[in-house]
Every structure is written in C-alpha cells, then in structure tokens.
Amino acid sequence: MTPVLAIENLHLGFKGYTGYTEVLHGISLSINPAERVALVGESGSGKSVTARIILGLLQEVRGATIRGELRFLQHDLNSIGTKHWRDLRGTRMSMIFQDPTSALNPVFTVGVQFIEVLRRGSAPLSEAAALSRASALLQSVSINDPERVLQAYPFQLSGGMNQRVMIAMALANNPALLIADEPGTALDVTVQAQTLDLMNQLVASHNTAMLFISHNLGVVREFADRIYVIYRGRIVEQGPTAAVFNDPGHPYTRALMAAVPRITGGGIADIPDTSDEFLQPCVNHGSAL
Amino acid sequence: MSAVVQLLLRRLGISLIVLVGVSMLVFGIARIIPGDPARIALGPNATVEQIAKLRSSMHLDESIVVQYGHFIKDLSRGDLGMSLYTNRPVTLDIAEFLPATLELVIVAGLLMIGIGLPLGRWSARYRGRLADHVIRLVSLLGVSAPSFVWAVILMLLFAFFLPLFPIAGRISDTYTIERVTGFLLVDTLWAGNFQAFSNALWHIVLPAFALALSGIGQAARLTRANMIETYDKPYIEMAQAYGFSGRRIANRFAFKPSLIPSLTIIGLDFAAMLGNAFLVEAVFAWPGLSRYGVAVILRKDLNAIIGTVLIISATFLLVNLIVDLLIAFLNPRIRHSQRQTS
C-alpha cells in the first residue's frame, strides 16, 4: 500500500547569528491511507515544525534549512515547486490548530471564511451553493443552527463551537491528510473530549489519514492507531499504540509515561529532565498493518 | 436602534459639545487680546463718535457673557456677523474660500489613502527585502519634512526646473467656469468641460502632493507596522496552511485587521491637513481659506476669525466622525459591543 505521507531522514536547521542549529536530526515517519498516527513529545521536541514542513510553510522561512525525502500521495514534495505545493494545502492536506478562536480571522464572519476555504477546493462555486455546503458541513459537526454560526464572528462563538467550525473547514475539501496540531489544548477537558470524538468519527467517515500531534498521552492512547515518540528532534520509539503502551522499550518513552499524573494518587515519579539514556537508538515495534 | 445609528448619535452629541467649547475659547481669546477691533477697522482717521457707534453695534461695550449670548443667537440663525475686512457677511466669505481648501485637502487625503496604504501593505508583504527598504526610506523622508517644505521643493523641481506642472493657481485664466459648488473639479464636470477639468486636475497635483507626502509616509509606516504584527497571528498561519496565495493573504486576511488601528491615525492626519493646507496654499497661491484666515487674524477681524476657526473645527470633527463610523463598520467587535450595551 502506498502511504499518504512518507518522510525519510528529515533534517531541519536554522541559520542564526550564533551559527547553525540543527533542530530535527533525521526523522522518518509514514502514514497509510485512513490511518491515525500520533506524534508525541514534549515542548520543543520538534512536533510542530514537522507539521509545518509537511505543509510547506517552514520552507518559506528564510534561514531554515531542510533536507530529506518528503512524499505525499504521488507527489515528491521537494520537486513539485512552491506553487504546486500551495495548491495541495487546504485541498489535499489540511490542518487544525491549537487554539480555534485565535486561528479564525476576527474581522470576517465564519460564513465568509468558510466560503473562501470551499472555493480553494472546487473552482467556481456560487455564494449560495457554498453557503448551503458550509451549512451541511457544520451540521455534520453537530452544530444545530448553522445559519446563525455562519453569520457570527469567531469572537461571538464559544471555543468548542469554533473548534467544530475548524474541524468542518479542515475536512471541507475532503483532504487525504489532516494534521491536527494539539487540537483543543486551549479548550477545557470535556469540550476537548467531545470535539476529539467528533473529529475521530469524521476522519473515519471521510477516509482521511490523520497526523495527530500531541503531548497528551491519554488522548493519544484513545485516538491513534500508531505512535511515534519524538525527543529532541529524533524519533525514539515507534509502533502500534497498544504495543508502545504495553511495552515501552525506550527509556524516554517510559519517562514520558511515568510523567502522567494518575487519579489513584502517588504523585509524579522523580524523572530527570535529561538523561544520556534518552539518547539511545530508536525502538521499533514494527507496523500493525 | 441599530448600533451604528446609536454610535452616530453619541458621536454627534460629543461633537456638538466640543464645538461649543471651541466657540467659547476662540470667542474669549479674540476678546482678550489687546487692540480695539473697531478702531482697527475704521482706520486712523475715524472720529471718537464713529468708533463708539461701531463698538455699540458690535456689542463691544457690553460684558463678554452678553456678547457671547448675542453671538450664539446670531449663529442659530446662520449669521456669523459681518467681516470688517471684506465688509461682507462672514458666511459668504467662508462659502467662497472654503471649497478651494476642502478640495485640496480631500485630494491630498485620497492620495494619502490611495498611495500610503498600498505602499505599507507592499512593504509588510516583502518585509526585509529591497522593496521594503526603499518604501521605508521614502516614507521616512515624507514624514520628516513638513508639507510647506515639500511644497517649495516640489514647486522648484516640477514647476520651475522641469516645467511639468503650473506654478500657482487653481485653473488657467482662459477658462470661465460657472460656480455651482465651488469645487472646481466638480464644477468643471458639471459644466461638461473636460478640458477645464483636466486643467484643474493638472493644477492641483503639486499642492495636493506637497500636502499629502507626510500623510503618505505616515500611512505607509503605520500600515506596515500593523500588518507585520498581524502576520504573527495564528489566523494568518491558518490562511497559509489553507494554501491561500501570498497576495490574497496580504490584501485580504492580513490587511483588514491591520487597517482598523491605522485608520484612526489616518483620520487625525487627514484633519491635520486642514491646518497644513494654510502653508501649502500660501506657497502655491491657492485661493483658499488660508489667505482669508491670515488676513483676518492680522486685522483682528473678530467675526471672521471666529467663523474661520469654527468652520475648521467643524470640518475636523466631521472627519473624525466619518473615521469612527468607518472603524465601526470595519471592526465587528465595536459594532457588536455597542449592541450588547443597548
């Protein structure tokens, strides 16, 4: 099976005043069609930059040096050119952001923003047709009064509502790959759980592959088929979710799991911030498929 | 009641209060400064009786509060009194000279918006590149010299050394245009005389640019700064992640949120042009309100001074009102916060 996304030996570095700093040290990951893959790691481990490299956003930042193979569907992303890459964004690949309310433009109504996104997909679309399609999409994310939401500005809606709008927008053009960067971290836990459930169902029904970026192991365990654990720009462990959770092979993965507070109490285990052990080679559990 | 109407009414009320305050202030100052206006008006050969007669007809022998009362009573009838300088009603004088000034200021304002905003947008989009550096340098130049300096420089360069534009005036003497609004650009079109229209346009280019240059620089710098701030917002990254082109992001998604803070300052600049216009008009011999204003101030022509200042204040307030409404129109947060309080 050809993967939706295949990254091979990806390096990222930044040239700054103090010289060259490498941030990603050759990471490889692949996502199969309709598969939900999680990229887990602490802040600054390189999760979000990886997402932005896949979308082609970081390539436009001056001073960023990117090396490595990037294949998306049948495209070799390194050779298709920025224009073609841009055409893929919002149509074949799309993204959900961490804070839904600040990711929507404050001076345009949801409806206007939705129409813009829909017009990225199918070329000429009348306003009425776009609005009725937007309305249907909003209903699919359990918004009962889509007309009101389409006329509203993002600041008039709750965070959970905006998150649903974002999910509907992200899936509006039936992308092959959806990248979710810490979705709903800015929301409270109950709303986050609801919207994640919703996203999960929709991704399944659209046959969309998902790259789920998170530091929240509980969420990852529930929603991902496969996990990549990333630490300081290296993948340290990968494999099917159950395998990784049942038998974490890498010292860093074990430390990450021990860092999750438990409702049964006992406090958080004493974990060092860094350790030479964490730099051990990658533990591979193989593929579930 | 709609939020915008409510905002409009509130702003109108505030403007009225400001206008009353300005009238009191100018009225007070004009009466306090030394020199007898009646004596100045009648000249050195006037008799004591003549002066006393004029003083009493101008209510100068009464207390300042009573004088202000007379002034307000006349004003409510649309009467600003007689000018001692032209011997005509002040309202007539202002109606004659104001359109030329307004025409100049409006054209300069349009230049400021039409050139300054796109320059700032361009500069922000190509931040750190050559276009950005050039635009920043040029706008800094524009901001750093006052408009009358620009007036002299532009006149020397483009009317004297390189005679592309006329040196002075609003229109060539060969055209006689029937006065309808006093705005030559409108009146020539009204008369259907396109040759005269282009001639008037040709005359206004240099003074309008001289007046607009600092505003253009200011608008460009502000727009650039605001847009660069906007570019760091998550919704711009979202627009990039959805594959919108750089041009569309700059012209639509980043421009509209950035326009709101710029607009307030642009409105103030626009109003400040009314004052700067006095000097530019003097350089280009533009027959506007400035020549009249300066003349009446030097002659201590009380009614005319107060009339001129009031009209300029009213125009200033009107421009601010329009800007506020525009901002309310552009910024949904203002529109909707008004609705919640009602």
Side-chain angles (χ1 to χ4, degrees):
Chain A
M1 183 164 24
T2 29
V4 173
L5 178 78
I7 300 176
E8 203 64 53
N9 201 22
L10 179 68
H11 289 260
L12 163 71
F14 290 102
K15 278 198 244 4
Y17 294 112
T18 52
Y20 181 79
T21 319
E22 196 168 78
V23 178
L24 294 179
H25 313 281
I27 68 167
S28 304
L29 65 83
S30 70
I31 302 170
N32 290 314
E35 194 185 20
R36 297 165 303 169
V37 171
L39 187 59
V40 190
E42 62 188 48
S43 309
S45 57
K47 304 178 303 243
S48 291
V49 284
T50 307
R52 278 151 185 82
I53 289 173
I54 296 168
L55 286 169
L57 297 180
L58 217 53
Q59 281 78 348
E60 290 168 16
V61 174
R62 286 193 295 172
T65 317
I66 295 158
R67 279 186 294 126
E69 295 283 303
L70 288 163
R71 292 199 62 80
F72 174 71
L73 301 172
Q74 73 278 21
H75 310 284
D76 175 9
L77 290 178
N78 286 323
S79 62
I80 60 172
T82 46
K83 169 87 174 63
H84 192 172
W85 199 334
R86 199 181 74 212
D87 289 342
L88 291 173
R89 295 205 289 272
T91 56
R92 302 305 292 139
M93 49 167 91
S94 84
M95 182 154 171
I96 291 176
F97 287 84
Q98 190 168 358
D99 179 0
T101 305
S102 63
L104 291 169
N105 199 312
V107 297
F108 295 102
T109 59
V110 168
V112 167
Q113 298 185 57
F114 224 116
I115 292 173
E116 296 266 0
V117 169
L118 283 169
R119 284 189 176 151
R120 289 275 308 118
S122 46
L125 194 62
S126 77
E127 188 164 323
L131 275 176
S132 74
R133 172 128 175 73
S135 197
L137 282 159
L138 287 181
Q139 261 161 351
S140 76
V141 292
S142 311
I143 288 177
N144 299 324
D145 47 352
E147 276 69 32
R148 181 184 73 89
V149 171
L150 285 173
Q151 280 167 19
Y153 289 90
F155 62 89
Q156 294 174 306
L157 301 172
S158 69
M161 203 64 126
N162 281 327
Q163 182 74 302
R164 286 158 197 245
V165 169
M166 287 263 292
I167 293 170
M169 271 186 193
L171 295 170
N173 294 322
N174 282 313
L177 174 69
L178 173 67
I179 299 172
D181 187 3
E182 307 249 3
T185 308
L187 304 175
D188 67 73
V189 184
T190 329
V191 177
Q192 188 186 1
Q194 281 171 0
T195 51
L196 286 177
D197 259 337
L198 196 66
M199 185 169 80
N200 214 26
Q201 289 163 20
L202 281 169
V203 166
S205 67
H206 281 73
N207 258 331
T208 303
M210 180 161 73
L211 177 63
F212 192 94
I213 291 170
S214 183
H215 61 263
N216 187 334
L217 288 173
V219 168
V220 165
R221 186 172 200 165
E222 202 166 332
F223 291 108
D225 302 321
R226 216 146 50 77
I227 295 184
Y228 288 87
V229 180
I230 184 170
Y231 175 65
R232 290 198 165 190
R234 286 188 180 83
I235 302 286
V236 295
E237 182 153 4
Q238 60 160 304
T241 309
V244 173
F245 271 94
N246 293 335
D247 178 26
H250 195 278
Y252 177 71
T253 314
R254 286 199 290 270
L256 198 62
M257 286 177 183
V260 178
R262 289 175 203 285
I263 202 160
T264 47
I268 295 173
D270 191 19
I271 304 160
D273 277 347
T274 55
S275 160
D276 286 344
E277 281 197 325
F278 293 171
L279 300 175
Q280 284 176 12
C282 175
V283 177
N284 198 332
H285 291 269
S287 170
L289 298 162
Chain B
M1 188 165 25
S2 118
V4 176
V5 172
Q6 206 183 356
L7 180 79
L8 180 74
L9 286 179
R10 210 180 56 191
R11 297 291 316 193
L12 273 176
I14 294 173
S15 301
L16 199 68
I17 294 170
V18 172
L19 218 48
V20 170
V22 168
S23 72
M24 284 180 175
L25 197 70
V26 179
F27 196 85
I29 290 173
R31 292 296 190 270
I32 287 165
I33 46 174
D36 185 345
R39 192 181 292 274
I40 297 172
L42 292 174
N45 300 326
T47 61
V48 180
E49 288 78 34
Q50 283 174 316
I51 292 172
K53 201 174 150 215
L54 185 60
R55 280 183 64 88
S56 84
S57 78
M58 288 171 74
H59 309 293
L60 284 176
D61 42 8
E62 293 172 68
S63 83
I64 192 161
V65 180
V66 177
Q67 286 184 43
Y68 186 73
H70 284 295
F71 166 73
I72 290 293
K73 205 175 76 196
D74 291 345
L75 184 64
S76 64
R77 286 183 285 127
D79 180 7
L80 284 166
M82 296 291 286
S83 163
L84 300 175
Y85 165 55
T86 57
N87 268 322
R88 297 197 308 170
V90 171
T91 41
L92 264 185
D93 284 344
I94 289 174
E96 181 174 343
F97 296 119
L98 184 66
T101 299
L102 280 186
E103 186 172 69
L104 183 61
V105 169
I106 289 170
V107 172
L110 292 178
L111 286 175
M112 173 169 82
I113 292 163
I115 297 176
L117 293 183
L119 276 184
R121 192 167 66 190
W122 202 17
S123 189
R125 186 177 160 198
Y126 297 108
R127 179 188 184 181
R129 305 212 207 141
L130 184 67
D132 180 27
H133 294 311
V134 171
I135 290 171
R136 274 161 66 199
L137 188 76
V138 170
S139 43
L140 191 64
L141 267 177
V143 175
S144 47
S147 47
F148 64 90
V149 173
W150 283 120
V152 174
I153 292 174
L154 289 182
M155 185 192 241
L156 273 176
L157 287 181
F158 299 109
F160 185 71
F161 292 125
L162 246 163
L164 296 173
F165 294 98
I167 290 245
R170 289 178 80 190
I171 194 161
S172 299
D173 293 338
T174 44
Y175 299 99
T176 40
I177 299 298
E178 191 199 350
R179 189 185 169 97
V180 183
T181 57
F183 293 88
L184 273 183
L185 291 177
V186 178
D187 287 354
T188 50
L189 282 183
W190 184 270
N193 192 340
F194 294 102
Q195 234 178 336
F197 173 76
S198 56
N199 186 277
L201 203 61
W202 182 50
H203 275 81
I204 208 171
V205 169
L206 283 190
F209 257 104
L211 190 56
L213 265 176
S214 69
I216 291 172
Q218 182 91 317
R221 285 160 59 82
L222 265 171
T223 307
R224 176 183 183 274
N226 288 327
M227 273 191 66
I228 280 173
E229 209 184 308
T230 305
Y231 265 115
D232 284 338
K233 295 274 165 66
Y235 52 81
I236 298 302
E237 197 184 18
M238 161 126 170
Q240 287 163 342
Y242 276 76
F244 292 104
S245 67
R247 174 205 293 251
R248 190 149 181 80
I249 289 173
N251 293 357
R252 184 167 164 85
F253 298 116
F255 185 59
K256 198 178 167 194
S258 315
L259 192 60
I260 293 158
S262 301
L263 212 57
T264 316
I265 308 292
I266 288 171
L268 288 175
D269 269 2
F270 194 93
M273 279 182 184
L274 277 172
N276 288 331
F278 272 49
L279 297 161
V280 173
E281 283 180 14
V283 174
F284 284 99
W286 191 263
L289 201 57
S290 80
R291 220 193 278 172
Y292 180 73
V294 172
V296 297
I297 288 169
L298 292 178
R299 285 176 160 261
K300 207 165 185 294
D301 185 349
L302 293 184
N303 290 335
I305 294 174
I306 294 167
T308 310
V309 172
L310 272 185
I311 284 297
I312 293 206
S313 315
T315 315
F316 195 102
L317 289 169
L318 187 71
V319 170
N320 268 325
L321 188 71
I322 292 169
V323 168
D324 279 346
L325 286 177
L326 259 179
I327 289 174
F329 177 73
L330 280 175
N331 189 347
R333 274 167 292 198
I334 291 186
R335 246 183 296 152
H336 292 277
S337 72
Q338 294 287 321
R339 189 168 297 167
Q340 273 155 23
T341 53
S342 65

